[in-house]
Amino acid sequence: MSDFGGLPLAAVFTPNPDHPLTWTGLIGFLILIFGVCIVILGVVLSVVLVRGIADRKWGGYVIGPVIILFGLTVSYGGAQLL
């Protein structure tokens, strides 16, 4: 006899046994999202620095792509944890 007066209960979510839900997967997903945010920041920074003042030094051209590369590296690391 059911505790709910004989009502049939809805199906219960069962995770895929090939991809169990773990803390590592959650942390990997959060790192992936953080890396994507860094990439977006790098793209915005690149556009702002290139469209900035006319007499800029070489660092204005380099810092944006370096931040994009760092964000891609973080994103790759997070994707590997998934």
Side-chain angles (χ1 to χ4, degrees), residues 2-80:
S2 169
D3 291 337
F4 297 102
L7 293 174
L9 298 176
V12 177
F13 170 73
T14 55
N16 186 353
D18 296 330
H19 299 286
L21 300 175
T22 61
W23 283 106
T24 306
L26 175 67
I27 292 171
F29 181 72
L30 294 176
I31 290 173
L32 177 68
I33 296 299
F34 182 67
V36 169
C37 291
I38 293 174
V39 169
I40 292 171
L41 176 72
V43 169
V44 169
L45 188 63
S46 293
V47 170
V48 167
L49 288 175
V50 168
R51 295 184 68 188
I53 56 176
D55 56 343
R56 58 188 156 286
K57 302 198 187 298
W58 63 272
Y61 294 108
V62 173
I63 192 72
V66 167
I67 291 176
I68 292 172
L69 184 64
F70 177 71
L72 288 173
T73 306
V74 171
S75 297
Y76 179 75
Q80 290 300 312

